[in-house]
């Protein structure tokens, strides 16, 4: 491995430097049928799961084939995506906001060869490389985060639980039998990178033990006031600590009974790690949405306070999700999102239908707004 | 023969969904074989060590990445997420494993020529592993070493005319829905404004100057396919303010069963024949629709443009012609004060290049206010909660509007400005006592 220069000269770092050029212009990448019909689309239809047609006022049509993407992918895989796009789509493709891949063709006769090609490609272990689906009233890709593959604050993995969950929900990726589309997302800690706070079903990594304090290093590594102000419940205060060798150092003290394990102090201060093999696990949330269709956007609500991390396939998590999906599929009306269904029948009935235990953890106790989540009415169901 | 045993990860190579494990193994094999004779600039076995460290995390139930990591390229204060393994002796291939965020084209359309070029660069100077894409929108190059950062940046800018994305307390990479490129609902060109604002504010994106992070997202209509209302500090949601365009013949075709409702989205189950009364009129949240004598009537004045009827009958109903967007501010995840969705601050504004009104009357006044008043690591939404929506309106100069609240306040703890009150606040208690004995 010999170092190969790109032309960058470390002795003159600012020489020949190009900055602030931003992204490439989107029009460079539009397929001709998109470029010619932009802003002229009249209507669309889903011809089969994973296949759209959009019809333009010019009479042009574009057929889109959507396939599941892992999000985490190798350049070998991207090259294969390119090979498919070169073969079928004139060298154009796109990715969706949920990290699926879309191949577009400009006539109907090109659809079947493309779909057949995509569905025929399998990985060594038998997984589909490019499963076609993710449209309409089904379950599409899971928005997710880094987990143990790259992040330092997670309480669970991302890619693993997502693979395990999508395997379980795969039939609904390939079908459109639900009352409305159902969005699943995952975040590996409650920073909630992504969409956990606004999804129909959300998987959230959670800690259950207060941070450990690395007193010897804390003042050297951290801005103590930032660690203190990082705490939403004011559980952290500055203190002085005597080390075993007698030296006194500045550090922090954590009032354990006020800590709810959010991990934000660790984000700010490397000397407050809190990850734990048995303490950490998963919270399940449900009932969020971002669209304004019929009802306003909703936050997802906590419906399961803890499920253990069970690498590599997280069976408790996937079976819990399956139960919620089935109860929703059986109970909700056409067009009704999961959150709309839960609110219509009442959350007390949601827990009954989904066979979920209601525990004290699910009652909000965070500051003034908590009161508004309790029930100030005698309208409830037995 | 793989470098590390990965019995747990191996179990994720079965099932129907594409396996990231198989894919990383494929990359590991390709690097080991190196059929193209590439002079790899980071360890050849980086992918094997990545699987090794992930397997160890599966065993320990804990991450094996050290806290933080501050690396980057000269001239910028962000764009690269530094990361170091906490078992570098055992997994030297990922001792350094930094992420580079690469600014994606609006709408995430690509040519294969462009992607193949990026793949060659990343194969040569990085791990060959990516995220397509990060949640904010960037192309993510996952895993390289510090000495490669400037080399990759040099190649990106010189060969690919391509910049990094954002990270840190700055404007992050904006992103958008597919918009008018392939959607009949789009009320403005989301790609055009996304690209324009990204370029306009390159300095704010590359050099952190804010109290905390700030995101833009652009949704072409209230369906919110890029989830701007939940995932951006400023959310631009396309709207129309005139009348929904109705094609009566197409309505009749829906009623007659010739066209499937909702573009066929529910085809996987038998929901019975389409019933326009039940599926459209009765579900309209404002009850502003009527279907009588084979004619659909919409009282557009009462329509709140939720998109339901248009979503159900896309061939018969279209957004109006007087289009623009609403702007909502303050969405964020829970840390610190709790999650927020965007709150309406501009009910309607035209979206026309060069977007001067949006820049000068909305974005820049809000930044001026937040950059001055925002506390360290305080998102815009939290400043709005701390100082009040009224302060944001003062900053932008927009008039308070009943559309901006879900409901008026219930508590009467009302602040008045001194100049709103006759006689002001300077008063003499002795004057008061002349009429009111102690």
């Amino acid at each position: 491995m010999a170092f190969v220069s790109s032309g960058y000269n470390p002795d003159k770092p600012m020489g020949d430097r190009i900055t602030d050029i931003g992204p490439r212009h989107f029009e460079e990448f539009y397929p001709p049928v998109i470029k010619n019909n932009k802003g002229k689309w009249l209507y669309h239809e889903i011809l089969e799961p994973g296949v759209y047609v959009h019809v333009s006022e010019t009479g042009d049509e574009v057929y889109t084939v959507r396939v599941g993407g892992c999000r985490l992918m190798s350049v070998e895989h991207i090259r294969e995506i390119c090979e498919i796009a070169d073969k079928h789509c004139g060298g154009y493709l796109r990715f969706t906001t949920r990290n699926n891949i879309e191949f577009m063709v400009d006539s109907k006769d090109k659809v079947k060869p493309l779909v057949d090609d995509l569905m025929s490609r399998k990985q060594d272990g038998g997984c589909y490389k490019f499963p076609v689906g993710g449209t309409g009233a089904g379950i599409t890709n899971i928005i997710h985060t880094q987990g143990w593959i790259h992040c330092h604050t997670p309480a669970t993995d991302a890619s693993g639980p997502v693979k395990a969950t999508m395997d379980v929900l795969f039939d609904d990726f390939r079908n459109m039998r639900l009352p409305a589309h159902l969005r699943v997302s995952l975040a590996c800690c409650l920073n909630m990178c992504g969409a956990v706070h606004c999804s129909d079903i959300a998987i959230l990594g959670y800690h259950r033990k207060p941070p450990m304090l690395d007193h010897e290093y804390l003042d050297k590594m951290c801005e103590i006031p930032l660690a203190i102000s990082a705490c939403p419940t004011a559980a952290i205060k500055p203190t002085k600590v005597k080390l075993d060798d007698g030296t006194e150092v500045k550090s922090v003290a954590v009032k354990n009974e006020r800590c709810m394990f959010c991990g934000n102090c660790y984000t700010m201060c490397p000397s407050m790690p809190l990850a734990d093999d048995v303490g950490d696990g998963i919270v399940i949330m449900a009932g969020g949405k971002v669209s304004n269709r019929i009802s306003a956007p909703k936050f997802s609500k906590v419906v399961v306070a803890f499920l253990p991390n069970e690498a590599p396939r997280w069976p408790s998590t996937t079976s819990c999700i399956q139960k919620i999906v089935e109860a929703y599929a059986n109970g909700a009306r056409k067009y009704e999102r999961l959150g709309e269904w839960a609110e219509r029948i009442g959350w007390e009935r949601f827990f009954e239908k989904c066979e979920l235990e209601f525990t004290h953890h699910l009652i909000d106790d965070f500051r003034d707004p908590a009161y508004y989540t309790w029930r100030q009415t005698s309208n409830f169901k037995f | 023969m793989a470098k590390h045993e990965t019995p747990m990860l191996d179990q994720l190579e079965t099932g129907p969904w594409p396996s990231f494990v198989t894919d990383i193994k494929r990359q590991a094999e390709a690097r080991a074989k190196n059929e193209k004779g590439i002079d790899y600039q980071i360890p050849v076995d980086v992918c094997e060590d990545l699987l090794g460290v992930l397997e160890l995390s599966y065993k320990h139930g804990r991450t094996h990445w050290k806290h933080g990591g501050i690396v980057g390229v000269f001239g910028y204060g962000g764009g690269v997420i530094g990361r170091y393994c906490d078992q570098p002796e055992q997994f030297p291939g990922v001792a350094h494993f930094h992420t580079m965020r690469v600014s994606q084209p609006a709408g995430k359309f690509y040519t294969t020529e462009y992607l193949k070029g990026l793949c060659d660069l990343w194969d040569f100077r990085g791990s060959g592993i990516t995220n397509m894409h990060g949640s904010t929108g960037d192309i993510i190059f996952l895993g390289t070493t510090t000495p490669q950062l400037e080399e990759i940046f040099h190649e990106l800018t010189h060969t690919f005319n391509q910049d990094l994305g954002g990270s840190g307390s700055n404007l992050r990479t904006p992103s958008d829905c597919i918009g008018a490129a392939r959607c009949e609902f789009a009320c403005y060109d989301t790609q055009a404004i996304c690209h324009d604002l990204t370029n306009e504010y390159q300095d704010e994106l590359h050099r952190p100057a804010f109290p905390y992070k700030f995101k833009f997202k652009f949704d072409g209509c209230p369906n919110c396919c890029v989830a701007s209302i939940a995932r951006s500090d400023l959310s631009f949601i396309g709207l129309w303010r005139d009348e929904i365009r109705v094609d009566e013949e197409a309505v009749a075709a829906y009623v007659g069963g010739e066209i499937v409702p909702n573009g066929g989205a529910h085809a996987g189950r038998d929901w019975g024949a389409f019933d326009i009364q039940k599926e459209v009129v009765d579900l309209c949240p404002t009850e502003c629709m009527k279907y009588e004598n084979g004619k659909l009537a919409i009282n557009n004045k009462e329509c709140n443009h939720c998109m339901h009827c248009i979503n159900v009958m896309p061939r018969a109903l279209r957004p109006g012609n007087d289009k623009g967007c609403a702007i909502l501010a303050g969405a964020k995840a829970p840390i610190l004060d709790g999650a927020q969705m965007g709150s309406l601050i501009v009910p309607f504004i035209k979206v026309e290049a060069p977007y001067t009104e949006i820049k000068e009357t909305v974005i820049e006044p809000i930044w001026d206010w937040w950059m001055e008043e925002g506390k360290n690591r305080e998102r815009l939404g939290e400043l709005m909660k701390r100082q009040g929506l009224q302060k944001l309106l003062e900053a932008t100069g927009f008039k308070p509007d009943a559309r901006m609240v879900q409901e008026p306040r219930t508590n009467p703890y009302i602040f008045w400005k001194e100049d709103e009150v006759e006689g002001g606040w300077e008063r003499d208690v002795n004057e008061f006592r002349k009429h009111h004995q102690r």
Side-chain angles (χ1 to χ4, degrees):
Chain A
M1 181 169 89
F3 180 80
V4 180
S5 171
S6 61
Y8 164 71
N9 179 357
D11 296 328
K12 272 194 188 167
M14 301 313 279
D16 197 25
R17 177 168 297 264
I18 297 172
T19 66
D20 300 275
I21 55 175
R24 291 278 287 269
H25 196 276
F26 51 90
E27 270 190 4
E28 294 179 57
F29 303 122
Y30 280 160
V33 64
I34 296 293
K35 197 168 197 163
N36 296 339
N37 294 285
K38 183 171 176 178
K40 298 176 190 164
W41 299 107
L42 277 181
Y43 65 88
H44 74 277
E45 208 174 295
I46 303 169
L47 302 175
E48 58 183 277
V51 182
Y52 280 106
V53 60
H54 287 79
V55 180
S56 163
E57 63 190 36
T58 66
D60 284 355
E61 295 175 335
V62 62
Y63 293 83
T64 303
V65 179
R66 180 177 292 172
V67 306
C70 266
R71 192 179 94 107
L72 178 71
M73 60 176 72
S74 68
V75 296
E76 288 295 304
H77 191 70
I78 297 172
R79 286 180 179 131
E80 188 167 344
I81 292 168
C82 290
E83 176 211 317
I84 295 165
D86 282 337
K87 189 167 145 197
H88 297 274
C89 313
Y92 296 93
L93 67 135
R94 73 175 292 266
F95 289 80
T96 71
T97 57
R98 298 191 72 87
N99 306 313
N100 290 311
I101 306 147
E102 288 184 344
F103 297 97
M104 287 154 284
V105 292
D106 55 12
S107 74
K108 195 167 187 178
D109 56 311
K110 296 177 184 171
V111 172
K112 193 174 181 301
L114 172 58
V115 170
D116 289 347
D117 187 359
L118 290 163
M119 290 302 288
S120 72
R121 293 176 189 245
K122 297 260 188 104
Q123 293 176 320
D124 292 343
C127 312
Y128 289 98
K129 278 181 181 169
F130 305 105
V132 174
T135 54
I139 294 176
T140 185
N141 212 341
I142 299 181
I143 294 275
H144 65 278
T145 54
Q146 295 295 28
W148 296 331
I149 205 97
H150 196 258
C151 191
H152 58 149
T153 65
T156 190
D157 187 35
S159 311
V162 163
K163 161 73 175 154
T165 305
M166 282 310 291
D167 279 342
V168 165
L169 300 177
F170 189 74
D171 288 347
D172 282 318
F173 180 81
R174 298 268 298 137
N175 198 353
M176 306 187 290
R177 57 130 194 168
L178 297 179
H181 55 273
L182 190 146
R183 302 293 190 231
V184 186
S185 64
L186 175 147
C188 42
C189 82
L190 89 184
N191 277 331
M192 294 193 186
C193 301
V196 158
H197 62 306
C198 54
S199 297
D200 295 280
I201 297 180
I203 307 164
L204 174 68
Y206 208 78
H207 305 286
R208 292 184 304 162
K209 297 186 184 185
M212 297 163 271
L213 303 173
D214 209 350
H215 289 304
E216 190 183 343
Y217 292 89
L218 197 141
D219 188 38
K220 297 174 191 160
M221 304 284 284
C222 314
E223 291 277 356
I224 287 175
L226 293 185
I228 292 166
S229 64
C231 182
T233 58
I236 305 174
K237 61 179 183 185
T239 191
K240 284 183 178 157
V241 175
K242 211 165 224 162
L243 300 177
D244 289 344
D245 66 4
T247 46
E248 195 179 69
V249 291
K250 287 184 193 165
S251 189
V252 298
V254 176
K255 207 169 191 180
N256 283 343
E257 65 275 19
R258 282 181 76 154
C259 173
M260 45 69 185
F261 333 110
C262 73
N264 197 40
C265 53
Y266 179 60
T267 298
M268 299 310 293
C269 172
S271 301
M272 303 178 74
L274 75 162
D276 191 85
D277 55 349
V278 293
D280 295 354
I282 278 169
V283 166
I284 302 287
M285 303 175 76
K289 72 191 262 283
V290 295
S291 90
N292 294 273
R293 184 176 186 169
I294 303 177
S295 66
K298 298 177 195 297
F299 289 116
S300 8
K301 283 92 179 159
V302 178
V303 296
V304 178
F306 184 77
L307 293 168
N309 273 329
E310 298 164 321
R313 282 211 165 261
W314 278 266
S316 304
T317 296
T318 57
S319 71
C320 172
I321 289 170
Q322 229 174 348
K323 255 188 345 193
I324 298 172
V325 171
E326 284 315 312
Y328 162 69
N330 293 331
R333 296 171 180 165
K334 192 176 181 187
Y335 305 113
E336 203 167 42
R337 292 288 293 268
L338 193 146
E340 293 167 332
W341 169 63
E343 286 177 16
R344 175 173 60 81
I345 63 174
W347 284 97
E348 67 269 43
R349 200 58 90 226
F350 171 88
F351 281 91
E352 187 185 293
K353 298 268 186 204
C354 297
E355 297 169 12
L356 300 174
E357 190 190 357
F358 188 88
T359 66
H360 71 88
H361 311 98
L362 310 184
I363 301 172
D364 196 351
D365 54 6
F366 186 63
R367 301 191 189 168
D368 276 9
Y371 162 80
Y372 299 98
T373 68
W374 309 337
R375 192 165 303 211
Q376 289 93 23
T377 173
S378 57
N379 297 351
F380 61 84
K381 296 174 183 173
F382 286 102
Chain B
M1 178 68 193
K3 186 175 168 189
H4 306 284
E5 294 284 312
T6 54
M8 286 208 267
L9 290 175
D10 294 349
Q11 294 178 51
L12 291 171
E13 291 199 87
T14 57
W17 188 251
S19 168
F20 69 99
V21 176
T22 311
D23 186 33
I24 298 174
K25 284 186 178 179
R26 174 188 187 183
Q27 190 67 26
E29 251 174 63
R31 286 177 79 90
K33 277 191 198 152
N34 192 13
E35 281 174 354
K36 289 187 225 161
I38 297 165
D39 195 357
Y40 291 120
Q41 296 293 292
I42 75 164
V44 176
D45 55 2
V46 53
C47 295
E48 278 158 274
D49 278 352
L50 181 62
L51 288 169
V53 75
L54 188 61
E55 177 76 18
L56 190 65
S57 283
Y58 273 44
K59 192 172 146 200
H60 287 163
R62 295 185 299 264
T63 189
H64 277 290
W65 301 103
K66 287 186 190 179
H67 183 281
I70 299 173
V71 291
V73 297
F74 282 115
Y76 288 177
V80 186
I81 317 303
R83 200 65 80 217
Y84 301 93
C85 182
D86 72 4
Q87 299 297 327
E89 296 83 12
Q90 204 179 343
F91 306 105
V94 292
H96 291 221
F97 199 68
H98 312 320
T99 284
M100 298 186 83
R101 292 186 179 162
V102 178
S103 187
Q104 86 289 356
K108 300 191 185 90
F109 285 90
Y110 294 106
T111 58
T112 55
E113 184 202 353
Y114 169 80
L115 284 181
K116 284 187 269 192
L118 285 191
C119 286
D120 290 345
L121 170 63
W122 189 236
D123 221 1
F124 177 38
R125 297 192 179 276
S127 65
I129 303 297
T130 74
N131 287 155
M132 298 296 280
H133 295 73
S135 290
T136 301
D138 304 272
I139 298 168
I140 304 289
F141 281 175
L142 197 68
T144 192
T145 60
T146 308
Q148 288 302 313
L149 299 176
E150 287 288 3
E151 307 298 330
I152 294 164
F153 181 64
H154 189 274
E155 285 287 352
L156 279 176
T157 51
H158 286 74
T159 309
F160 293 92
N161 187 27
Q162 171 66 60
D163 212 332
L164 294 181
S167 70
S169 290
N170 56 9
L171 175 65
R172 300 293 186 82
T173 309
S175 62
D176 59 352
C177 71
I178 195 166
R182 202 201 57 207
C183 180
E184 67 273 23
F185 301 156
C187 294
Y188 66 94
D189 187 344
T190 54
Q191 266 111 79
I193 186 172
C194 185
H195 187 78
D196 182 284
L197 294 190
T198 305
N199 281 293
E200 174 85 24
Y201 299 119
Q202 279 287 293
D203 188 29
E204 287 79 1
L205 191 152
H206 292 303
R207 297 165 197 89
F210 290 164
Y212 202 9
K213 67 177 94 165
F214 197 96
K215 300 184 183 184
F216 292 149
K217 277 187 167 50
F218 305 92
D219 275 309
C221 83
N223 283 329
C224 287
C225 290
V226 76
S228 68
I229 198 167
R231 297 169 62 182
S232 59
D233 298 81
L234 272 188
S235 154
F236 302 78
I237 301 178
L239 293 174
W240 65 96
R241 58 180 170 180
D242 55 348
E243 298 183 343
I244 292 175
R245 289 175 282 169
V246 183
D247 177 342
E248 287 294 347
E249 272 179 38
V251 172
Y254 275 104
V255 174
E258 293 146 46
I259 311 176
V260 287
N262 217 116
H266 297 77
R269 195 199 292 195
D270 182 6
W271 292 92
F274 177 62
D275 180 340
I276 193 171
Q277 183 67 35
K278 192 171 138 208
E279 296 187 35
V280 180
V281 176
D282 290 349
L283 291 181
C284 169
T286 65
E287 300 175 17
C288 71
M289 305 183 88
K290 255 196 272 186
Y291 186 74
E292 280 172 356
N293 309 319
K295 205 172 152 37
L296 183 70
I298 304 173
N299 179 3
N300 279 280
K301 189 163 190 299
E302 298 306 314
C303 167
N304 69 1
H305 42 77
C306 83
M307 293 297 295
H308 176 65
C309 58
I310 296 174
N311 286 336
V312 175
M313 302 194 290
R315 283 178 82 162
L317 305 179
R318 303 173 70 189
N321 285 312
D322 184 10
K323 292 168 178 170
C325 80
I327 303 178
L328 294 85
K332 58 178 282 291
I335 293 289
L336 272 175
D337 270 353
Q340 289 180 243
M341 301 264 187
S343 298
L344 184 68
I345 58 163
V346 181
F348 187 86
I349 194 164
K350 282 287 187 182
V351 189
E352 284 159 359
Y355 317 107
T356 312
E357 193 186 358
I358 288 175
K359 290 171 189 168
E360 291 181 0
T361 70
V362 184
I363 296 170
E364 289 162 23
I366 287 176
W367 279 352
D368 288 345
W369 171 57
W370 175 60
M371 288 171 75
E372 185 70 26
E373 297 289 329
K375 294 200 284 191
N376 183 37
R377 286 172 64 82
E378 184 177 51
R379 292 289 285 268
L380 175 65
E382 287 164 333
L383 175 63
M384 288 164 65
K385 273 167 86 172
R386 183 161 62 83
Q387 292 199 349
L389 179 61
Q390 289 93 331
K391 281 282 190 297
L392 182 142
L393 296 179
E394 279 175 26
T396 54
F398 286 114
K399 272 178 63 177
D401 184 323
R403 279 168 274 256
M404 293 173 185
V405 294
Q406 198 59 44
E407 59 187 27
R409 68 194 305 157
T410 55
N411 66 68
Y413 303 161
I414 306 165
F415 289 97
W416 288 83
K417 291 189 171 57
E418 187 173 5
D419 61 11
E420 289 178 314
V421 186
E422 204 179 316
W425 292 346
E426 286 303 315
R427 291 182 292 161
D428 182 359
V429 72
N430 293 321
E431 195 58 35
F432 179 81
R433 285 297 169 214
K434 284 182 191 166
H435 307 284
H436 305 281
Q437 296 174 23
R438 283 185 186 92

